Amino acid sequence: MSLNAGWYLGSDHRRIRSALNTGFTAAAVRSYYAVFKVVAEQICEQLESFPSAATDVCSLLSAATLEATCQAILGCPTQDLGEEFVANNREIIKLTASQSEVHVLADAIVSRLPTWVWRVVIHLPTKIFAVAHRGRFLGNQVGGRIVREKKEATAQGLEAGSDLFSRLADPNNSDMLAEEDLVPQAGVVLVAGQETTTNTISFGLFELAKHPDFQNKLRAEIYSALGNNTTLAYESMPLLNAFIREILRLYPAVPLSDCIVLEDTVIPLGESVMSSRGKPINQIPVRKDEIVTMAFAAYQRLPSRWGKDPHLFNPSRWLDGETYQGEAVGPYANLLSFFGGPHICLGITIDLPGVG
C-alpha cells in the first residue's frame, strides 16, 4: 500500500507524514483487521462458487482490495464512491496494466523533461491523460465529500470512526490535517494502495499454483498454527514468512523509483562494475538535481545477495541462510519493496503485521 506523503518535500512532507502515521500504528492497524477479515471471507466465497475452469483472480482481488482500502482508510464501502469514480478507477488500472513498449518508453522520457514541458505534455488530448485528470477530479470530489461528512458528524457529537480519514478529520486530534491536505489523499490511496496489494497477492497465488507441494506444506502450517484460535501468530510460522519474503523479493510492487539528488555527492557501490573501457568502477559521482533510478527489482535478483538461483521462486532460501547476511538494506528482510528512509511506505504495517 502506498500513500501520497511521498509527493511532499521538506517540512511539508514531515507534517503530512506525521499525521498519516496515526493511521498506521499497531493499534490502528489492529482496528482494520475486522474489515480485512470480512473482505477475505467474501473472496473465498466467490472463489468457491466459481466453476473449475480458469479464473481471473486479478479482477476479483482488485475489487476486493478497493473495498478493503475504502473501509479502512475512508470509512465507507466502495458503493459510496459512486459509479463514475469506480468506473474511472477501473479504467486507470486497465490502461496502466496494458501499456505498450512505446508507452513505457514515452513515460520514461517524459519524466525526465523540464517541469514546464511536463506541464504542457500532461494536457495533451490522449486517453490516458484524460482518464488521469478525470480520476484526480473525482478523487478530490469524493475526498471532499467524505471529509465534510466526517466533520459534520463530529460537530453533532457523534463518535469518530476508526478509519484513517476519521482520525485525520477529527478536530480533537492533534494530528488533524487541513482539508486541502487531506482531500487529495483519497484518490491516490484508492489507486496506489489497491493495485500494489492486488499485484503482490496475485503473484503469490501464481507461485502457489505452480508449486502445489509447497502450497500443501504452507496450508498445513497455517492450520496447525491456527488450531482453535481465531487469530494467527505470524511470527510462529516460518514457512509463511519465507513465502511472503520470497514473493516480495521476486515481485516488488514498484520495480523501480526515481530519486532527485539534493546536493553534489558520490554514491559508493557495494560491488564494482566494469566500464566500457574495462576499468572497475567503485563509486558514481552525481550532481544536484540529477535523477537517480533505484532499480529495486534488479537488486532483489542479484546472485551475490540472494544465492545462485535469484530468478527462481525458492522460499527455502530464507530458511537455510542462503540469503546475504551483511549490512541491512530497506526496512524489512534486506528488501527494498517498501522503499526506505523517510519515504518508507506507510502501508508496511498493514502488509506485514508486526513490522514497524
Side-chain angles (χ1 to χ4, degrees):
M1 177 176 285
S2 175
L3 285 177
N4 200 17
W7 292 12
Y8 292 84
L9 297 174
S11 59
D12 284 336
H13 172 265
R14 289 190 291 272
R15 176 175 56 83
I16 300 293
R17 177 83 186 201
S18 175
L20 291 175
N21 276 335
T22 63
F24 294 89
T25 63
V29 170
R30 282 195 296 271
S31 71
Y32 306 148
Y33 284 176
V35 169
F36 298 156
K37 184 174 184 293
V38 170
V39 173
E41 290 173 347
Q42 291 172 347
I43 294 176
C44 292
E45 291 175 0
Q46 288 178 282
L47 288 174
E48 289 175 353
S49 66
F50 287 161
S52 58
T55 301
D56 178 11
V57 297
C58 292
S59 58
L60 174 64
L61 289 172
S62 183
T65 52
L66 178 61
E67 179 65 32
T69 303
C70 280
Q71 294 194 36
I73 303 300
L74 303 183
C76 67
T78 302
Q79 63 187 32
D80 286 2
L81 301 179
E83 293 182 4
E84 188 176 7
F85 180 93
V86 174
N88 194 81
N89 171 274
R90 192 179 299 117
E91 188 66 20
I92 290 175
I93 293 169
K94 179 182 177 181
L95 287 172
T96 55
S98 58
Q99 286 184 300
S100 67
E101 293 180 355
V102 174
H103 284 141
V104 173
L105 178 60
D107 285 347
I109 294 174
V110 169
S111 66
R112 285 161 171 75
L113 295 176
T115 303
W116 68 269
V117 177
W118 171 244
R119 288 174 178 169
V120 173
V121 169
I122 61 176
H123 291 288
L124 292 175
T126 63
K127 183 176 182 179
I128 192 167
F129 284 141
V131 172
H133 286 309
R134 188 62 181 165
R136 181 178 181 181
F137 170 78
L138 293 171
N140 287 341
Q141 191 177 62
V142 168
R145 173 174 57 79
I146 290 175
V147 170
R148 288 191 295 273
E149 289 175 353
K150 292 184 182 300
K151 286 184 175 181
E152 290 172 2
T154 301
Q156 295 173 12
L158 300 178
E159 185 177 353
S162 60
D163 59 277
L164 177 59
F165 265 47
S166 288
R167 300 171 192 270
L168 298 181
D170 185 357
N172 299 316
N173 180 2
S174 60
D175 290 310
M176 174 188 175
L177 278 179
E179 187 168 331
E180 61 268 23
D181 290 325
L182 181 55
V183 168
Q185 306 296 328
V188 174
V189 70
L190 292 179
V191 174
Q194 176 187 4
E195 283 310 285
T196 52
T197 304
T198 295
N199 292 339
T200 300
I201 296 176
S202 296
F203 279 120
L205 294 176
F206 171 68
E207 291 294 352
L208 287 177
K210 288 170 57 181
H211 300 85
D213 290 343
F214 177 81
Q215 181 182 157
N216 291 333
K217 292 178 182 178
L218 180 59
R219 182 185 296 109
E221 180 185 77
I222 293 174
Y223 281 158
S224 176
L226 186 59
N228 296 322
N229 302 316
T230 56
T231 58
L232 288 172
Y234 293 96
E235 66 279 0
S236 67
M237 292 184 284
L239 209 58
L240 176 61
N241 279 280
F243 169 68
I244 292 173
R245 292 178 179 184
E246 187 69 350
I247 293 301
L248 290 173
R249 183 190 70 81
L250 268 180
Y251 306 107
V254 180
L256 53 84
S257 179
D258 289 337
C259 300
I260 299 176
V261 179
L262 298 180
E263 60 182 37
D264 293 357
T265 188
V266 175
I267 301 176
L269 301 182
E271 300 177 21
S272 297
V273 295
M274 300 301 293
S275 71
S276 58
R277 298 180 179 179
K279 294 183 178 180
I281 299 176
N282 300 308
Q283 59 185 25
I284 299 176
V286 292
R287 295 181 178 180
K288 181 180 178 180
D289 295 330
E290 286 185 337
I291 295 176
V292 176
T293 298
M294 309 287 287
F296 303 151
Y299 157 74
Q300 292 180 184
R301 296 196 180 201
L302 287 175
S304 58
R305 282 272 178 176
W306 312 105
K308 59 186 178 181
D309 58 350
H311 298 292
L312 299 180
F313 172 76
N314 178 20
S316 65
R317 76 177 76 249
W318 299 96
L319 304 174
D320 58 19
E322 187 178 344
T323 57
Y324 182 70
Q325 301 298 318
E327 71 278 3
V329 176
Y332 174 74
N334 268 346
L335 299 172
L336 289 173
S337 303
F338 297 93
F339 306 113
H343 290 267
I344 182 177
C345 174
L346 285 165
I348 187 173
T349 55
I350 291 180
D351 297 333
L352 301 171
V355 175

